[in-house]
Amino acid sequence: MDKIVVEYCPKCNAQLPPGLEKCPVCGHRMPSKSKDEITFRDIFWLTATILGFVLLPMLIIIGIVVLIIWLL
Ligand SMILES: [Zn+2]
């Protein structure tokens, strides 16, 4: 933990400790990038899980049906 992460206010350029929602100098609201990333990842994983749970059994069923048709 030698690296000290410092953020700068985009409005007044004041040095701020990370994780602040508002600049204490000028009151500028800091953009929350991490929240957007979490929601995007949540959507991605939700879609991936749904696709995995729906598409995988469907592909297996289609594969079995195709195999039965081929064997008949
Ligand atoms: Zn500021």
Side-chain angles (χ1 to χ4, degrees), residues 3-56:
K3 211 176 179 182
I4 301 159
V5 185
V6 181
E7 285 182 5
Y8 291 92
C9 175
K11 200 179 177 186
C12 67
N13 222 29
Q15 212 173 329
L16 309 165
L20 272 179
E21 282 182 29
K22 239 177 170 183
C23 173
V25 181
C26 69
H28 178 76
R29 286 194 85 180
M30 304 295 281
S32 48
K33 286 174 186 173
S34 54
K35 276 184 182 177
D36 291 348
E37 267 178 51
I38 289 160
T39 45
F40 178 75
R41 277 186 190 175
D42 282 345
I43 291 160
F44 173 79
W45 280 112
L46 200 83
T47 314
T49 319
I50 289 162
L51 282 172
F53 271 102
V54 174
L55 276 177
L56 222 79

